[in-house]
Structures are given as C-alpha cells and as structure tokens.
Amino acid sequence: MANKIEIPFNKPPFTGKEKKYILQSITSGHVSGDGKFTKKCSDWFVEYLKCKKALLTPSCTHALEMCAILLDLKEGDEVIMPSYTFVSTANAFALQGAKIIFVDIRPDTMNIDETKIEAAITKRTKAIVTVHYAGVSCKMDEIMKLAEKYNLKVVEDAAQGIMSKYKGKPLGTIGHLGAFSFHETKNVTSAGEGGLLIVNDQKYSDRAEIIREKGTNRSQFFRGMVDKYSWVDIGSSYLMNDVSAAYLWGQLKDLDRIQNNRLRCWELYFQGLIELEQKGFLSLPVIPEDCTNNAHMFYIKVKDLNTRTQLITHLKKNRILSVFHYVPLHSSQAGRKFGRMSGEDVYTTMESERLIRLPLFYGLTSSELNKITDSIYEFFEGLIN
Ligand SMILES: *Cc1c(COP(=O)(O)O)cnc(C)c1O
C-alpha cells in the first residue's frame, strides 16, 4: 500500500479571521479590484513599508511583469539576475524582449553573488533583479552601489521576503521597485494567489497605476484628478479582486500570530538539527548579521544529489513530504533560449542539488516537527551503519 502523507509540505495559512472579512466583502456590493479591503491592505503596506505606492496584484508574477513594463525595456536590453530562482523572475523580463543574464549564487544564502555582478554588466544592461531566497536579504548595499555606478535599476523579487529586513529596512523597499507574493506557499496569502507591487521611486508611481488599470488613467479619475478616463498607455488587468484582499486583510490582522508560529518552528528545526551539522552530515541555513529571518522556509543541504534523493524517499516512507527547489534557469529550455550565464556556474547547480525544503507552515505542531527531525536522524544513523 502506498504511504499516505501525514505531514504535508505546506498548508495554506488560515487563522479564522479571514471568514468575517470575506463575508463582508461579498455582501458589500463591491467585489472587484480597488474596493474597501484592497484599500485597507495597501494602506497597511504603505504605512509599514514607508513606500511611495503599494499596489495589490493578482500574483507576484504580475507585479514583476509590471516592473518589466515600467523599466521600458527594448529588445536586446539585458537584465541581470540569479539563475537559482523561480521562472517568473526571468519570464517577466523575457516577455518584454529582454535578454536574461544569469549570475552565480553565494553558497551561504543561495542569493546572487554580488561580487560577480560587475563582470556581467555591459552597455546593454538595464537592471539587476535581486531575489531574497528564503526571505534572507541579498547584499543590497553592494548591489545598490553598482546600480548607481552604472545607472541601472534594481527590482527586488521579495516574493518570499515579507516582514524581513536588511540593515533595518524592509525587503522590497531598497531597490527602485519591489514585489511580494501572497501565493498559498508564502507566509501570508490572499486566498491562494496574489501579489504586491512596491513602488519606491516616485517617478514610477503614476505609470504603475495606469499599467495596472489596462493602460487607462482610471485611478486618477476616481481620485477626481481628471474628469474622464481613457486609454493613455499600454497596460493590462493587474488588479486583485476585493474578496482575495479580504482574505489577506484577515491574515494581516493575525500577522504576529502567523510569524511567531513560523519563527518558533524554524528555531525548533535549527536547534533540533544542529548536532547533525556539527557531525558534518548536513548544513543549516545561514542568516548573515545584517539580515533578519522571516521563517519563510527551512532548508537543509546534504552531501550531494544522491543523498538528497535518498533522504526525500526516506521521509516519504515516514509519511513526511519534503521537496527540492529550483532547477537552475540557465540550464532550462527557456533559460537557454532567452538568457545566458555570465561567468562560471560554480555554486548554482551544485548547491541547488543538495538542498531540501522541510515542511514549514502555520499550524505545524512541535510533535510533527519532532517526528521530522527524528526521521532525519534515523536516516543519517542508517547511513553510518
Ligand atoms: C513564489 C515566487 C514567485 C511567484 O509568485 P506568484 O505570486 O506565485 O506569482 C516569484 N519569485 C519568487 C522568488 C517566488 O518565490
């Protein structure tokens, strides 16, 4: 008989508060975008992030697409990013005709190696996209300095970065533009799918609204700034519906509860597995001094691909679902077509093949967590004997 999974990898966060707001939204007579709950959520983010504008979108993918449109990329312009990331980071810019230039990662944080970026910059380079893997920040000071030196824009793919900081600044607010995801696998969700565009550079504010409203100045019309609205630029339908925003509002109201639970789980994993790291069986995540941890993810890295496959199988036998992560984009079919690697792939492939993500979600209990760490010990004991 096939083993039924007892501890899933993820459960969409749900605290209970969402129901009330969803019902309010449904009965309010306004369920499309930019309703009451959209306003509550975006005001909350503007206040917390101290950004120029926070626009809810149907996904982080869409927020990234908006960034790519805002940058006014021309065919052949180059955009630098890590190869170790989700497809949307690259796809959004490829859609605008940009060439994707992949740069190797640092083995400690799995983030783009800031020391390898300068060698990738050419006359055609327009932007650097930083991905804060597992909610742990890239070396933003170094990256912003490079951007200034070469007059480049910086887009932060902070899909995993909500509530995390770099030198006291929330992720998503350091570059010119930033994006969050509210997919059900992230710390907070807007009923499964959703995202946020964070505008930090004032010059993008008005156009971001227009692009989000199908290329019209409808937002200005509703604010009474123009007396009719019409088609003024390119754009698309990038609004989150208000029922999703109501779900998100419930999550924001319970954010401390969600974050405390996740952070506690993260800490339990770390303390529970530290002995195996000391014995050289695996490595644990690294949180550099300038960075905070939002407990978006708990991953371990084992010796090699083969050990990883065996460990995933072992955990599955114990009815625990653990998963690997990105297949480096530079080696994917579309990655080869729309991009190329700058410099050598020293760590990207090797480190990605060693990485396993363990279950981490709101509501994961300590007894479930202990079962997972026990099962990992059992695996490594089995390897010795
Ligand atoms: C989840 C994620 C995305 C995509 O988010 P969606 O909201 O699902 O579009 C993009 N980039 C990174 C790094 C992610 O983790």
Side-chain angles (χ1 to χ4, degrees):
M1 198 187 89
N3 282 314
K4 202 168 164 292
I5 291 297
E6 188 183 299
I7 308 178
F9 171 68
N10 182 59
K11 280 185 193 171
F14 177 73
T15 69
K17 280 224 170 77
E18 302 85 350
K19 283 191 203 163
K20 180 174 96 184
Y21 299 125
I22 286 176
L23 198 64
Q24 279 179 22
S25 171
I26 292 169
T27 52
S28 73
H30 182 134
V31 288
S32 61
D34 280 339
K36 180 174 132 192
F37 287 99
T38 303
K39 178 145 182 25
K40 280 181 186 292
C41 293
S42 13
D43 287 352
W44 189 95
F45 281 110
V46 168
E47 162 90 19
Y48 168 69
L49 299 170
K50 311 249 176 304
C51 59
K52 298 287 181 294
K53 210 144 245 172
L55 299 171
L56 290 182
T57 56
S59 68
C60 178
T61 302
H62 284 120
L64 291 167
E65 285 177 17
M66 290 178 68
C67 294
I69 297 172
L70 282 167
L71 294 188
D72 255 333
L73 299 171
K74 311 262 169 331
E75 196 79 27
D77 282 347
E78 295 176 356
V79 176
I80 293 172
M81 65 181 68
S83 167
Y84 186 69
T85 183
F86 188 59
V87 291
S88 296
T89 320
N91 188 69
F93 296 90
L95 267 175
Q96 299 303 315
K99 184 95 183 157
I100 312 300
I101 309 298
F102 297 112
V103 167
D104 204 14
I105 53 166
R106 305 160 50 106
D108 57 351
T109 55
M110 306 297 284
N111 285 335
I112 192 166
D113 186 337
E114 70 285 354
T115 66
K116 294 180 181 171
I117 293 176
E118 193 158 15
I121 298 174
T122 71
K123 274 191 227 100
R124 316 197 76 164
T125 310
K126 288 284 144 57
I128 304 169
V129 186
T130 61
V131 180
H132 306 299
Y133 189 69
V136 178
S137 181
C138 301
K139 291 273 179 194
M140 291 308 290
D141 275 357
E142 286 81 352
I143 293 168
M144 293 311 290
K145 256 188 222 128
L146 276 177
E148 205 169 315
K149 181 172 168 191
Y150 293 96
N151 194 24
L152 308 176
K153 299 299 174 203
V154 174
V155 175
E156 292 179 76
D157 179 344
Q160 307 173 9
I162 187 170
M163 300 316 282
S164 205
K165 290 180 175 171
Y166 170 76
K167 298 192 176 175
K169 282 192 205 138
L171 301 190
T173 68
I174 305 160
H176 301 85
L177 296 161
F180 281 168
S181 171
F182 305 122
H183 186 259
E184 69 169 33
T185 51
K186 305 302 199 284
N187 292 31
V188 295
T189 185
S190 46
E193 305 278 355
L196 183 78
L197 173 70
I198 302 161
V199 179
N200 301 312
D201 185 336
Q202 178 78 49
K203 83 169 192 200
Y204 295 119
S205 277
D206 291 347
R207 193 161 176 239
E209 281 185 340
I210 289 167
I211 291 167
R212 183 164 166 271
E213 275 282 16
K214 302 95 185 166
T216 72
N217 53 355
R218 193 160 175 257
S219 300
Q220 293 173 351
F221 170 73
F222 281 132
R223 280 201 299 273
M225 290 160 69
V226 289
D227 57 10
K228 58 181 187 307
Y229 78 86
S230 65
W231 188 24
V232 293
D233 199 342
I234 57 163
S236 190
S237 184
Y238 288 134
L239 279 76
M240 178 189 283
N241 74 72
D242 215 54
V243 184
S244 293
Y247 191 112
L248 180 62
W249 183 242
Q251 300 253 297
L252 293 178
K253 284 278 184 184
D254 260 339
L255 194 52
D256 285 346
R257 209 162 124 196
I258 295 172
Q259 282 303 96
N260 289 340
N261 180 257
R262 293 187 80 104
L263 285 160
R264 196 183 109 258
C265 290
W266 198 97
E267 207 47 50
L268 282 176
Y269 268 133
F270 196 90
Q271 295 310 328
L273 296 170
I274 203 154
E275 197 187 319
L276 287 174
E277 182 176 61
Q278 284 155 358
K279 289 183 175 161
F281 288 112
L282 50 80
S283 26
L284 294 174
V286 174
I287 315 286
E289 226 179 88
D290 296 331
C291 305
T292 63
N293 174 24
N294 67 350
H296 169 63
M297 188 191 298
F298 196 91
Y299 66 81
I300 56 174
K301 287 195 271 179
V302 295
K303 195 170 113 239
D304 51 25
L305 180 58
N306 190 32
T307 314
R308 176 174 81 176
T309 310
Q310 286 173 11
L311 178 53
I312 291 176
T313 308
H314 171 82
L315 290 170
K316 208 174 258 168
K317 264 191 215 131
N318 287 322
R319 311 208 278 169
I320 298 159
L321 191 61
S322 64
V323 294
F324 53 84
H325 214 180
Y326 310 129
V327 175
L329 295 182
H330 75 278
S331 54
S332 69
Q333 191 183 327
R336 286 197 306 265
K337 183 170 171 195
F338 298 112
R340 63 171 170 82
M341 189 83 191
S342 158
E344 255 181 277
D345 167 9
V346 182
Y347 293 112
T348 302
T349 301
M350 186 173 74
E351 295 299 302
S352 70
E353 288 181 345
R354 299 170 55 209
L355 187 142
I356 307 181
R357 293 181 291 157
L358 303 177
L360 179 59
F361 48 84
Y362 173 74
L364 181 68
T365 65
S366 349
S367 72
E368 286 173 320
L369 205 141
N370 289 336
K371 189 184 156 163
I372 300 165
T373 51
D374 285 352
S375 183
I376 296 172
Y377 274 89
E378 188 186 85
F379 172 78
F380 286 108
E381 276 156 19
L383 279 193
I384 309 170
N385 302 321

PDB file of all heavy atoms in Angstrom, residues 59-61 64 85-86 88-89 131 157 159-160 181 183 186 194 326, ligand 1:
ATOM      1  N   SER A  59      -0.901  38.384  -8.632  1.00  0.00           N
ATOM      2  CA  SER A  59       0.204  37.488  -8.278  1.00  0.00           C
ATOM      3  C   SER A  59       1.496  38.284  -8.256  1.00  0.00           C
ATOM      4  O   SER A  59       1.540  39.418  -8.747  1.00  0.00           O
ATOM      5  CB  SER A  59       0.339  36.355  -9.305  1.00  0.00           C
ATOM      6  OG  SER A  59       0.766  36.893 -10.546  1.00  0.00           O
ATOM      7  N   CYS A  60       2.529  37.675  -7.713  1.00  0.00           N
ATOM      8  CA  CYS A  60       3.850  38.308  -7.756  1.00  0.00           C
ATOM      9  C   CYS A  60       4.363  38.307  -9.194  1.00  0.00           C
ATOM     10  O   CYS A  60       5.037  39.238  -9.619  1.00  0.00           O
ATOM     11  CB  CYS A  60       4.803  37.540  -6.839  1.00  0.00           C
ATOM     12  SG  CYS A  60       6.479  38.177  -6.823  1.00  0.00           S
ATOM     13  N   THR A  61       4.025  37.256  -9.934  1.00  0.00           N
ATOM     14  CA  THR A  61       4.389  37.197 -11.352  1.00  0.00           C
ATOM     15  C   THR A  61       3.901  38.450 -12.064  1.00  0.00           C
ATOM     16  O   THR A  61       4.638  39.082 -12.827  1.00  0.00           O
ATOM     17  CB  THR A  61       3.757  35.939 -11.995  1.00  0.00           C
ATOM     18  OG1 THR A  61       4.215  34.791 -11.279  1.00  0.00           O
ATOM     19  CG2 THR A  61       4.102  35.815 -13.459  1.00  0.00           C
ATOM     20  N   LEU A  64       5.879  41.502 -11.086  1.00  0.00           N
ATOM     21  CA  LEU A  64       7.170  41.516 -11.791  1.00  0.00           C
ATOM     22  C   LEU A  64       6.992  41.932 -13.252  1.00  0.00           C
ATOM     23  O   LEU A  64       7.822  42.649 -13.814  1.00  0.00           O
ATOM     24  CB  LEU A  64       7.847  40.146 -11.696  1.00  0.00           C
ATOM     25  CG  LEU A  64       8.356  39.745 -10.299  1.00  0.00           C
ATOM     26  CD1 LEU A  64       8.705  38.256 -10.247  1.00  0.00           C
ATOM     27  CD2 LEU A  64       9.565  40.588  -9.893  1.00  0.00           C
ATOM     28  N   THR A  85      16.374  30.709  -9.199  1.00  0.00           N
ATOM     29  CA  THR A  85      15.160  31.423  -8.827  1.00  0.00           C
ATOM     30  C   THR A  85      13.969  30.788  -9.515  1.00  0.00           C
ATOM     31  O   THR A  85      14.094  29.892 -10.343  1.00  0.00           O
ATOM     32  CB  THR A  85      15.250  32.930  -9.173  1.00  0.00           C
ATOM     33  OG1 THR A  85      14.052  33.598  -8.706  1.00  0.00           O
ATOM     34  CG2 THR A  85      15.371  33.169 -10.676  1.00  0.00           C
ATOM     35  N   PHE A  86      12.781  31.299  -9.168  1.00  0.00           N
ATOM     36  CA  PHE A  86      11.543  30.835  -9.784  1.00  0.00           C
ATOM     37  C   PHE A  86      11.443  31.391 -11.211  1.00  0.00           C
ATOM     38  O   PHE A  86      11.962  32.472 -11.483  1.00  0.00           O
ATOM     39  CB  PHE A  86      10.357  31.324  -8.939  1.00  0.00           C
ATOM     40  CG  PHE A  86       9.035  30.750  -9.359  1.00  0.00           C
ATOM     41  CD1 PHE A  86       8.828  29.384  -9.359  1.00  0.00           C
ATOM     42  CD2 PHE A  86       8.003  31.577  -9.757  1.00  0.00           C
ATOM     43  CE1 PHE A  86       7.609  28.844  -9.755  1.00  0.00           C
ATOM     44  CE2 PHE A  86       6.781  31.052 -10.152  1.00  0.00           C
ATOM     45  CZ  PHE A  86       6.589  29.684 -10.149  1.00  0.00           C
ATOM     46  N   SER A  88       9.243  32.933 -12.862  1.00  0.00           N
ATOM     47  CA  SER A  88       8.615  34.238 -13.069  1.00  0.00           C
ATOM     48  C   SER A  88       9.610  35.393 -13.023  1.00  0.00           C
ATOM     49  O   SER A  88       9.420  36.409 -13.689  1.00  0.00           O
ATOM     50  CB  SER A  88       7.532  34.484 -12.019  1.00  0.00           C
ATOM     51  OG  SER A  88       6.499  33.540 -12.176  1.00  0.00           O
ATOM     52  N   THR A  89      10.648  35.252 -12.217  1.00  0.00           N
ATOM     53  CA  THR A  89      11.654  36.314 -12.112  1.00  0.00           C
ATOM     54  C   THR A  89      12.212  36.609 -13.497  1.00  0.00           C
ATOM     55  O   THR A  89      12.365  37.773 -13.886  1.00  0.00           O
ATOM     56  CB  THR A  89      12.811  35.864 -11.184  1.00  0.00           C
ATOM     57  OG1 THR A  89      12.294  35.149 -10.078  1.00  0.00           O
ATOM     58  CG2 THR A  89      13.628  37.058 -10.712  1.00  0.00           C
ATOM     59  N   VAL A 131      16.858  38.432  -5.822  1.00  0.00           N
ATOM     60  CA  VAL A 131      15.880  37.500  -5.249  1.00  0.00           C
ATOM     61  C   VAL A 131      16.345  37.195  -3.826  1.00  0.00           C
ATOM     62  O   VAL A 131      17.459  36.724  -3.635  1.00  0.00           O
ATOM     63  CB  VAL A 131      15.807  36.194  -6.067  1.00  0.00           C
ATOM     64  CG1 VAL A 131      14.797  35.224  -5.460  1.00  0.00           C
ATOM     65  CG2 VAL A 131      15.470  36.486  -7.525  1.00  0.00           C
ATOM     66  N   ASP A 157      12.880  41.020  -6.208  1.00  0.00           N
ATOM     67  CA  ASP A 157      11.892  39.947  -6.148  1.00  0.00           C
ATOM     68  C   ASP A 157      11.873  39.497  -4.686  1.00  0.00           C
ATOM     69  O   ASP A 157      12.665  38.652  -4.268  1.00  0.00           O
ATOM     70  CB  ASP A 157      12.261  38.800  -7.093  1.00  0.00           C
ATOM     71  CG  ASP A 157      11.247  37.664  -7.033  1.00  0.00           C
ATOM     72  OD1 ASP A 157      10.452  37.617  -6.075  1.00  0.00           O
ATOM     73  OD2 ASP A 157      11.257  36.805  -7.946  1.00  0.00           O
ATOM     74  N   ALA A 159       9.374  38.084  -3.234  1.00  0.00           N
ATOM     75  CA  ALA A 159       8.223  37.172  -3.143  1.00  0.00           C
ATOM     76  C   ALA A 159       8.200  36.451  -1.802  1.00  0.00           C
ATOM     77  O   ALA A 159       7.139  36.228  -1.225  1.00  0.00           O
ATOM     78  CB  ALA A 159       8.272  36.155  -4.279  1.00  0.00           C
ATOM     79  N   GLN A 160       9.385  36.093  -1.301  1.00  0.00           N
ATOM     80  CA  GLN A 160       9.473  35.327  -0.046  1.00  0.00           C
ATOM     81  C   GLN A 160       9.842  36.223   1.124  1.00  0.00           C
ATOM     82  O   GLN A 160      10.083  35.738   2.222  1.00  0.00           O
ATOM     83  CB  GLN A 160      10.544  34.235  -0.208  1.00  0.00           C
ATOM     84  CG  GLN A 160      10.319  33.375  -1.438  1.00  0.00           C
ATOM     85  CD  GLN A 160      11.462  32.403  -1.706  1.00  0.00           C
ATOM     86  OE1 GLN A 160      12.357  32.234  -0.896  1.00  0.00           O
ATOM     87  NE2 GLN A 160      11.427  31.757  -2.860  1.00  0.00           N
ATOM     88  N   SER A 181       4.823  38.149  -2.926  1.00  0.00           N
ATOM     89  CA  SER A 181       3.836  37.155  -3.345  1.00  0.00           C
ATOM     90  C   SER A 181       2.948  36.766  -2.173  1.00  0.00           C
ATOM     91  O   SER A 181       3.423  36.631  -1.043  1.00  0.00           O
ATOM     92  CB  SER A 181       4.531  35.897  -3.871  1.00  0.00           C
ATOM     93  OG  SER A 181       3.567  34.873  -4.084  1.00  0.00           O
ATOM     94  N   HIS A 183       0.993  33.971  -2.644  1.00  0.00           N
ATOM     95  CA  HIS A 183       0.632  32.611  -3.037  1.00  0.00           C
ATOM     96  C   HIS A 183       0.468  31.765  -1.773  1.00  0.00           C
ATOM     97  O   HIS A 183       1.032  32.090  -0.731  1.00  0.00           O
ATOM     98  CB  HIS A 183       1.749  32.031  -3.923  1.00  0.00           C
ATOM     99  CG  HIS A 183       1.422  30.701  -4.510  1.00  0.00           C
ATOM    100  ND1 HIS A 183       1.919  29.526  -3.973  1.00  0.00           N
ATOM    101  CD2 HIS A 183       0.646  30.354  -5.548  1.00  0.00           C
ATOM    102  CE1 HIS A 183       1.457  28.497  -4.685  1.00  0.00           C
ATOM    103  NE2 HIS A 183       0.681  28.978  -5.637  1.00  0.00           N
ATOM    104  N   LYS A 186       3.415  31.022   0.527  1.00  0.00           N
ATOM    105  CA  LYS A 186       4.166  32.082   1.180  1.00  0.00           C
ATOM    106  C   LYS A 186       3.647  32.302   2.609  1.00  0.00           C
ATOM    107  O   LYS A 186       2.649  31.721   3.005  1.00  0.00           O
ATOM    108  CB  LYS A 186       4.076  33.370   0.349  1.00  0.00           C
ATOM    109  CG  LYS A 186       4.528  33.197  -1.117  1.00  0.00           C
ATOM    110  CD  LYS A 186       5.965  32.699  -1.227  1.00  0.00           C
ATOM    111  CE  LYS A 186       6.609  32.927  -2.580  1.00  0.00           C
ATOM    112  NZ  LYS A 186       6.195  32.027  -3.665  1.00  0.00           N
ATOM    113  N   GLY A 194      -1.883  35.825  -5.262  1.00  0.00           N
ATOM    114  CA  GLY A 194      -1.890  37.278  -5.066  1.00  0.00           C
ATOM    115  C   GLY A 194      -0.484  37.830  -4.989  1.00  0.00           C
ATOM    116  O   GLY A 194       0.481  37.083  -4.818  1.00  0.00           O
ATOM    117  N   TYR A 326      14.366  25.013  -6.902  1.00  0.00           N
ATOM    118  CA  TYR A 326      14.576  25.385  -8.298  1.00  0.00           C
ATOM    119  C   TYR A 326      15.618  24.546  -9.037  1.00  0.00           C
ATOM    120  O   TYR A 326      16.706  24.302  -8.532  1.00  0.00           O
ATOM    121  CB  TYR A 326      15.035  26.841  -8.389  1.00  0.00           C
ATOM    122  CG  TYR A 326      14.183  27.796  -7.610  1.00  0.00           C
ATOM    123  CD1 TYR A 326      14.764  28.691  -6.723  1.00  0.00           C
ATOM    124  CD2 TYR A 326      12.804  27.811  -7.756  1.00  0.00           C
ATOM    125  CE1 TYR A 326      13.991  29.595  -6.006  1.00  0.00           C
ATOM    126  CE2 TYR A 326      12.026  28.706  -7.036  1.00  0.00           C
ATOM    127  CZ  TYR A 326      12.624  29.588  -6.168  1.00  0.00           C
ATOM    128  OH  TYR A 326      11.861  30.467  -5.452  1.00  0.00           O
TER     129      TYR A 326
HETATM  130  C1  LIG B   1       6.582  32.497  -5.295  1.00  0.00           C
HETATM  131  C2  LIG B   1       7.599  33.235  -6.059  1.00  0.00           C
HETATM  132  C3  LIG B   1       7.280  33.958  -7.221  1.00  0.00           C
HETATM  133  C4  LIG B   1       5.937  33.909  -7.867  1.00  0.00           C
HETATM  134  O1  LIG B   1       4.904  34.311  -7.056  1.00  0.00           O
HETATM  135  P1  LIG B   1       3.386  34.191  -7.594  1.00  0.00           P
HETATM  136  O2  LIG B   1       2.644  35.048  -6.623  1.00  0.00           O
HETATM  137  O3  LIG B   1       3.020  32.749  -7.498  1.00  0.00           O
HETATM  138  O4  LIG B   1       3.333  34.701  -8.969  1.00  0.00           O
HETATM  139  C5  LIG B   1       8.278  34.684  -7.838  1.00  0.00           C
HETATM  140  N1  LIG B   1       9.531  34.705  -7.366  1.00  0.00           N
HETATM  141  C6  LIG B   1       9.889  34.020  -6.269  1.00  0.00           C
HETATM  142  C7  LIG B   1      11.293  34.089  -5.784  1.00  0.00           C
HETATM  143  C8  LIG B   1       8.933  33.242  -5.585  1.00  0.00           C
HETATM  144  O5  LIG B   1       9.295  32.544  -4.511  1.00  0.00           O
END
